Amino acid sequence: MKHEVDLKNFSLHTDLLIDEVENIEEDIITKENRKINNVEIDVIKVKEDNLVKRKGTYTTISFEDITDFKNFNIVEKIFIDELNKIINEQNLNKDYKVLVIGLGNRNSTPDSLGVKVCDNILVTRHIDRLDNLGEDYHSVAAFTPNVMGNTGLDAQDIIKGILTETKFDLLIIVDALASSKIERVNKTIQLTDTGIYPGSGVGNHRKEISKNTMEIPVIAIGVPTVVDAVTIVSDTINLLIKKIEYLKNNNPKEKLKAKDKINYLKEERVNISNEEKNHLLGLIGELNDQELKSFISEILTPIGYNMMVTPKEIDFIIEKLSLLISKGINKSIHNLKDKI
Amino acid sequence: MKHEVDLKNFSLHTDLLIDEVENIEEDIITKENRKINNVEIDVIKVKEDNLVKRKGTYTTISFEDITDFKNFNIVEKIFIDELNKIINEQNLNKDYKVLVIGLGNRNSTPDSLGVKVCDNILVTRHIDRLDNLGEDYHSVAAFTPNVMGNTGLDAQDIIKGILTETKFDLLIIVDALASSKIERVNKTIQLTDTGIYPGSGVGNHRKEISKNTMEIPVIAIGVPTVVDAVTIVSDTINLLIKKIEYLKNNNPKEKLKAKDKINYLKEERVNISNEEKNHLLGLIGELNDQELKSFISEILTPIGYNMMVTPKEIDFIIEKLSLLISKGINKSIHNLKDKI
Amino acid sequence: MKHEVDLKNFSLHTDLLIDEVENIEEDIITKENRKINNVEIDVIKVKEDNLVKRKGTYTTISFEDITDFKNFNIVEKIFIDELNKIINEQNLNKDYKVLVIGLGNRNSTPDSLGVKVCDNILVTRHIDRLDNLGEDYHSVAAFTPNVMGNTGLDAQDIIKGILTETKFDLLIIVDALASSKIERVNKTIQLTDTGIYPGSGVGNHRKEISKNTMEIPVIAIGVPTVVDAVTIVSDTINLLIKKIEYLKNNNPKEKLKAKDKINYLKEERVNISNEEKNHLLGLIGELNDQELKSFISEILTPIGYNMMVTPKEIDFIIEKLSLLISKGINKSIHNLKDKI
Amino acid sequence: MKHEVDLKNFSLHTDLLIDEVENIEEDIITKENRKINNVEIDVIKVKEDNLVKRKGTYTTISFEDITDFKNFNIVEKIFIDELNKIINEQNLNKDYKVLVIGLGNRNSTPDSLGVKVCDNILVTRHIDRLDNLGEDYHSVAAFTPNVMGNTGLDAQDIIKGILTETKFDLLIIVDALASSKIERVNKTIQLTDTGIYPGSGVGNHRKEISKNTMEIPVIAIGVPTVVDAVTIVSDTINLLIKKIEYLKNNNPKEKLKAKDKINYLKEERVNISNEEKNHLLGLIGELNDQELKSFISEILTPIGYNMMVTPKEIDFIIEKLSLLISKGINKSIHNLKDKI
């Protein structure tokens, strides 16, 4: 009986700014892009609240397969650096106290990221109260409010309740997200100091977890772990254009490479005309991105085929991602050096 | 690093009244004892606060192996009856709202009872807010605050915090206990409306979870799942006396029975004298219960041998006990009849 | 280090006949189709080995959301009936002995179906050896060989090894499959007495688990739990045609219904011409099914986007599916009547 | 229904030689004892089969709390050294192939040691078949046969079956044991090349897992994780004597130390006479070890109080022990140096 309820209440919360940034007027953002060993870092600062996103810093780290040992180590280092930067921007006291919140559902693999991060947070608050922790450690607590389908309670109410009973200076929230691009699934970490705004934010003020509602700085760490079928199809149609553009480019050196090993996204391409698109894809080729997604949604949704999906290796990936984020948080907050 | 902390913070909270009742003055308690199919039910009402226990009702259900299918069903039925009686004594409104709290640690089998009960509570509060649940259901939420070693937070603070943000009329708390008798381990359920008083209660007021601190009625459901080595040894020495008393009794009919199949606790015995005790057990035989326990503790504790232990089948037993209690709570609160 | 290996060795084994049946010459198969309460049952008998599938019975049960309590019960009943029919066709002795094998990986949710079925099989072989089980029970053992990425061993070698040491009369193998249609994911159970042929069967004879290799009848029970991105895209393009065909049909009664609630697959449609297809979809519209899949694969595979995916609710669905199949096997083999 | 069966089939297999060595005639054994940082290493070689134990090497490593980080590292190093020595004594080919077997039950914490060790074994056999592993690696497979209560199958039959289908040169078996002394519970690892002899070995030849039955060398690694109540009581009575002996010793320096912090087992003691024992303990004081155990068993067993128990922190301890043993096996077999 319980699981029927669970299925209805399965919720993935926030979104990636990086995929919406083109919808924000240029003059209210600053952008910065770097690359370290194939890992891309985008830092976007939104200078004032707008229709798409709140004012604040959004850092996006984009990487390849995280179950690869080398990738893991590079991304971990970058994650620590970027988290440190955002923490430093919050102007906290030297001995700030942190509450780490892991949103999501332990019993649903793609939604369990936050819970599993909390399993490995180095918790010190209870020791701090007895003893002096020493200069290398901050006071840290970690908590998983679970999902409403399991508890009947809003995560937001529980967090707010804890903050009324105990004093903290910084909230770090970890959550699984829904992705709006295939390529980002399990391959992107977003850090932001704007907090979490569930749903489309339509007047749903009390569910917001942010400095506004919690009265202390809130840093949200999110990884997209699911994507919907509409996105898979629309991304594929866009990729089809790019593939054709690549094939039209006469690069004899490339032609020598094994045909299906080439990542055509990274190769030179020549643009194809609208006529060519129409020839190739008919009316479909004439739709813009938003129209294409709406159209595909109209096909899949009424018959129940617009599933949210996750890669079949999700168990192994969540294990690595949660380890990376928990180690990163521990090393950012405490001065662990060679201790772990 | 985390687990060293865990080991230190492993805590089993409350105690059984039934084992201390002899220490309470007779005139402030009433007792009632019934037996249904080998299951014993003791209802003790303490009329005023005293040194040992708080004023309130303590119901103890004592049974044999709960992994036996027949036992399970008998105990489940009795548990529902007794829980209903205690709920009815709280004078709640007809449409009372319940918060079920599962104390303890999911990662420690003998301390996971409360958490596993919550896994199976029929949660309705989030549905109630959208819809009318109908007359058969109450609004129920369920929550597991985890232990301080994992979170850095007091369970009591979290519960208090939730109650400041959301309104409930009744708190039901489920917890694993430490036993003071071998025979009670995994074979007793205690229900009480006095709440939970961790530790020896020495002025530790803010950790108390009771009507006093929570401002709504609190029903605590506890099962002893661990026992210490001191108890095992002192219980054995007391049993030795009883065994000798049984052997001294000349009951020829019994002598015919297979020697080691006889439960001598249930057979007639003749008392043995103090001289005989001393002959048998030396100075040990002259100690009273409390002296014996102190003496054994002095032997085991300094060398680290006074372990808290649990039967090796604890995983299977916790599974059954948590199922029994969760089904019992669901059927007591909601009118499920044949629906589950 | 282990998980990198795991990812490479994640394997889903067999396929559904029902989706390939059109590729088999008509004269070597018999088909039967029934419908009970929205659950469809297809029984296909292949009369002789052919390029696509082996000789034998293939029963496919197709249903909607299995986490729905009513659906669950209907499908369970049908599954028991169909499994009984296939068992009866094997001409076993009255006191036949069964080995149930759960293929797959406990640590990978979409591949854990077989393992979780085994967790709930009513195992009796060890009791049978001590006692007479009585007429209502058969001798049953259950075993999970795990996957090669975890063990370094072929599941097939382990099973063969067990059969050399212990005698059984029937092998029942449960496994998660890859689907070739979106609509089948977690919504189809296939039962077949032809066993399991991993990979494309290209001369990989020793990995086959069938009557040929095991020398006793082998019944395979499979549920598709994953699907690849290529299938999602090609199915969507085919659905697009059907949606257009539905929209072209002038059915005024339908037009009155809420636009996106209509399951247009179940409504009347008019065929659209090839010209219309081309107008709509360009060159894409001219491809046949196989060409379309190849084409999409060429787009997605080189850039690593042809993920195998599973619905995000997979944890809850596997729980229900494994419960259904284990209960069904228990009730088919033993005469449990009202005992469970 | 299943768990009732489980409880009956919960089985812990072998025993520690170290506790029985006094029962073996002196001239057929050699003993060696070393101590490294508070960790004790006893190597006993039994030169010929005898009533108590088989011919072979028995190495016992005794240590304190393994959840302590420092202890863990010291014991890990010693374990690797001792395992290497026993492997070297087997005269294997340079490119020997290993099968690691984890006995026990994943669902029962104190019996899950072997299973959890297998979860972390670096498995290479499936890679070896495709590629050359290189000089640093041996071909390793790992397997968990589960317990008869879950599978209906003898672990021994499954292992024998695997060995008929695939070739290995060495079997390493990991198992949880029952302890015959409180002090050894979770604080001793035994390594032996004599294999495993379940039960009292009374003619139960086919269940033996040894070089005799498996035809390749068998190294068994065992840790006692449970102890029975009889042992706890009889050990306590023996400790009582030692405590009195310590108290009788007039060592003024010791008297200055805090009373209950002294480990009196490690301090000087004076023997007390039999009269004193009798004065202290009555008839009980006159029993020898075996008589005392029998007597206590007669008290506890008929009333069902002779439970096998395990410390309440068993979940955390098994986690550490299984990690230590799996890392030790990996580093002993492969040449991992700094790779892990």
Side-chain angles (χ1 to χ4, degrees), chain B residues 319-320, chain C residues 72 100 102 106 112-124 140-144 174 318-331 333-334 336 340, chain D residues 1-3 6 107 146 149-151:
Chain B
E319 194 182 314
K320 292 291 178 193
Chain C
F72 185 96
V100 180
R106 184 184 293 281
S112 67
L113 180 73
V115 177
K116 287 187 179 153
V117 165
C118 275
D119 285 347
N120 289 303
I121 291 298
L122 180 53
V123 165
T124 52
V140 173
F143 196 72
T144 59
V174 184
I318 289 286
E319 195 184 313
K320 293 289 178 196
L321 282 170
S322 63
L323 185 65
L324 188 149
I325 294 173
S326 57
K327 284 176 73 181
I329 292 175
N330 288 338
K331 291 183 182 175
I333 297 176
H334 305 303
L336 296 176
I340 278 190
Chain D
M1 195 149 191
K2 193 123 175 241
H3 286 133
D6 277 333
N107 300 321
N146 207 330
N150 289 341
T151 62

Side-chain angles (χ1 to χ4, degrees), chain B residues 3-4 7 10 67 107 109 183 243 264 279-281 283 298-299 305 308 310 312-313 315 319, chain D residues 3-4 7 10 67 107 109 183 243 264 279-281 283 298-299 305 308 310 312-313 315 319:
Chain B
H3 285 132
E4 281 81 327
L7 285 174
F10 185 108
T67 67
N107 300 322
T109 310
E183 69 197 78
K243 177 84 175 197
Y264 53 82
H279 175 64
L280 186 69
L281 280 167
L283 291 176
E298 273 176 44
I299 297 165
Y305 287 14
M308 289 289 258
T310 191
K312 76 176 184 330
E313 302 85 356
D315 299 77
E319 194 182 314
Chain D
H3 286 133
E4 280 82 327
L7 285 175
F10 186 108
T67 68
N107 300 321
T109 309
E183 69 197 77
K243 176 85 176 195
Y264 54 81
H279 175 65
L280 187 69
L281 280 168
L283 291 176
E298 273 177 42
I299 295 164
Y305 287 14
M308 289 291 258
T310 192
K312 77 177 184 328
E313 303 84 357
D315 299 76
E319 194 183 314

Side-chain angles (χ1 to χ4, degrees), chain B residues 208-220:
Chain B
E208 176 180 324
I209 307 174
S210 69
K211 198 169 178 176
N212 285 340
T213 55
M214 297 293 158
E215 291 164 35
I216 54 172
V218 176
I219 296 175

Side-chain angles (χ1 to χ4, degrees), chain D residues 94-323:
Chain D
K94 208 184 134 198
D95 61 342
Y96 64 87
K97 296 172 194 298
V98 186
L99 177 58
V100 180
I101 296 287
L103 295 181
N105 186 351
R106 183 183 294 280
N107 300 321
S108 170
T109 309
D111 196 23
S112 65
L113 180 73
V115 178
K116 287 184 178 156
V117 166
C118 275
D119 284 348
N120 289 303
I121 291 298
L122 180 52
V123 166
T124 53
R125 181 175 173 270
H126 54 310
I127 302 164
D128 178 40
R129 295 192 303 178
L130 305 173
D131 254 314
N132 200 319
L133 276 175
E135 290 207 346
D136 287 341
Y137 293 90
H138 281 93
S139 173
V140 173
F143 195 73
T144 58
N146 207 330
V147 293
M148 185 178 275
N150 289 341
T151 62
L153 299 167
D154 274 319
Q156 294 85 344
D157 287 341
I158 298 170
I159 300 167
K160 189 81 187 155
I162 292 174
L163 293 176
T164 61
E165 295 293 316
T166 50
K167 194 195 159 308
F168 290 98
D169 304 300
L170 174 64
L171 211 59
I172 295 180
I173 303 196
V174 185
D175 198 10
L177 315 179
S179 179
S180 56
K181 291 207 175 158
I182 306 181
E183 69 197 77
R184 298 216 169 278
V185 181
N186 298 322
K187 294 185 174 168
T188 299
I189 301 176
Q190 177 179 273
L191 299 101
T192 173
D193 58 1
T194 56
I196 283 183
Y197 300 85
S200 54
V202 194
N204 206 343
H205 186 69
R206 67 181 283 273
K207 287 166 172 284
E208 175 180 325
I209 306 175
S210 69
K211 196 169 180 177
N212 285 341
T213 56
M214 298 293 159
E215 292 164 35
I216 54 172
V218 176
I219 296 175
I221 299 169
V223 177
T225 63
V226 298
V227 67
D228 63 3
V230 166
T231 300
I232 292 175
V233 179
S234 69
D235 279 9
T236 304
I237 289 171
N238 288 323
L239 289 167
L240 184 153
I241 309 286
K242 291 183 180 162
K243 176 85 176 195
I244 301 298
E245 289 174 340
Y246 159 70
L247 292 175
K248 276 197 66 177
N249 180 34
N250 282 314
N251 185 331
K253 202 175 75 195
E254 298 305 330
K255 300 282 176 187
L256 292 170
K257 290 188 195 167
K259 189 177 149 203
D260 35 304
K261 293 262 173 79
I262 292 174
N263 184 337
Y264 54 81
L265 296 179
K266 297 185 176 169
E267 306 296 329
E268 258 178 89
R269 300 193 302 262
V270 296
N271 280 345
I272 63 172
S273 67
N274 281 340
E275 285 73 34
E276 285 173 304
K277 269 191 206 171
N278 180 281
H279 175 65
L280 187 69
L281 280 168
L283 291 176
I284 298 293
E286 297 172 16
L287 301 175
N288 70 24
D289 241 46
Q290 200 46 55
E291 288 166 340
L292 182 62
K293 285 205 166 188
S294 297
F295 184 61
I296 299 166
S297 177
E298 273 177 42
I299 295 164
L300 295 176
T301 306
I303 54 174
Y305 287 14
N306 187 21
M307 308 184 286
M308 289 291 258
V309 297
T310 192
K312 77 177 184 328
E313 303 84 357
I314 187 66
D315 299 76
F316 312 118
I317 296 170
I318 289 285
E319 194 183 314
K320 293 290 178 194
L321 282 170
S322 63
L323 185 65

Side-chain angles (χ1 to χ4, degrees), chain C residues 228-286:
Chain C
D228 63 4
V230 166
T231 300
I232 291 175
V233 180
S234 69
D235 280 9
T236 304
I237 290 170
N238 287 324
L239 288 167
L240 186 152
I241 310 285
K242 291 187 180 161
K243 177 86 176 195
I244 301 298
E245 289 175 340
Y246 158 71
L247 292 174
K248 276 198 67 175
N249 180 34
N250 283 314
N251 184 333
K253 202 174 74 196
E254 297 305 330
K255 302 280 178 191
L256 292 170
K257 290 189 196 168
K259 188 176 150 202
D260 34 304
K261 292 263 175 77
I262 292 174
N263 183 336
Y264 54 81
L265 297 179
K266 297 186 176 169
E267 306 296 331
E268 258 178 89
R269 302 193 300 265
V270 294
N271 281 346
I272 63 172
S273 67
N274 282 341
E275 286 73 32
E276 286 171 303
K277 271 191 204 172
N278 180 281
H279 174 63
L280 188 68
L281 280 168
L283 290 176
I284 299 293
E286 295 173 16

Side-chain angles (χ1 to χ4, degrees), chain B residues 122-139:
Chain B
L122 179 53
V123 165
T124 53
R125 181 175 173 271
H126 54 311
I127 302 165
D128 178 40
R129 294 192 303 178
L130 305 174
D131 252 316
N132 200 319
L133 276 175
E135 290 207 346
D136 288 342
Y137 293 90
H138 280 92
S139 173

Side-chain angles (χ1 to χ4, degrees), chain A residues 1 3-4 6-7 10-12 65 67-69 105-110 182-183 185 187 226-227 229 232-233 236-237 239-240 243-244 259-265 278-285 295-296 298-305 307-317 319-320, chain C residues 1 3-4 6-7 10-12 65 67-69 105-110 182-183 185 187 226-227 229 232-233 236-237 239-240 243-244 259-265 278-285 295-296 298-305 307-317 319-320:
Chain A
M1 194 152 194
H3 285 132
E4 281 80 326
D6 277 333
L7 285 174
F10 185 107
S11 64
L12 292 141
D65 181 13
T67 68
D68 176 87
F69 185 64
N105 186 348
R106 183 183 294 282
N107 300 322
S108 171
T109 308
I182 306 181
E183 68 198 78
V185 181
K187 294 185 175 168
V226 298
V227 68
I232 292 175
V233 179
T236 304
I237 289 170
L239 288 167
L240 185 152
K243 177 85 177 196
I244 300 298
K259 187 176 147 204
D260 34 305
K261 292 262 174 77
I262 293 175
N263 184 336
Y264 53 83
L265 297 179
N278 181 282
H279 175 62
L280 188 69
L281 280 169
L283 291 176
I284 297 293
F295 184 61
I296 298 166
E298 271 177 45
I299 295 164
L300 294 176
T301 306
I303 54 173
Y305 287 14
M307 308 185 285
M308 289 292 257
V309 298
T310 191
K312 77 177 184 327
E313 303 84 356
I314 187 66
D315 299 77
F316 312 118
I317 296 170
E319 195 183 312
K320 293 290 178 196
Chain C
M1 195 151 194
H3 285 133
E4 282 79 326
D6 277 334
L7 286 174
F10 185 108
S11 63
L12 291 142
D65 182 13
T67 68
D68 177 87
F69 185 64
N105 186 350
R106 184 184 293 281
N107 300 321
S108 171
T109 309
I182 307 180
E183 69 197 76
V185 181
K187 294 186 174 167
V226 297
V227 68
I232 291 175
V233 180
T236 304
I237 290 170
L239 288 167
L240 186 152
K243 177 86 176 195
I244 301 298
K259 188 176 150 202
D260 34 304
K261 292 263 175 77
I262 292 174
N263 183 336
Y264 54 81
L265 297 179
N278 180 281
H279 174 63
L280 188 68
L281 280 168
L283 290 176
I284 299 293
F295 184 61
I296 298 167
E298 273 177 44
I299 296 164
L300 294 176
T301 306
I303 53 172
Y305 287 14
M307 308 185 286
M308 290 290 258
V309 297
T310 191
K312 76 175 185 327
E313 303 84 356
I314 187 68
D315 299 77
F316 312 118
I317 295 170
E319 195 184 313
K320 293 289 178 196

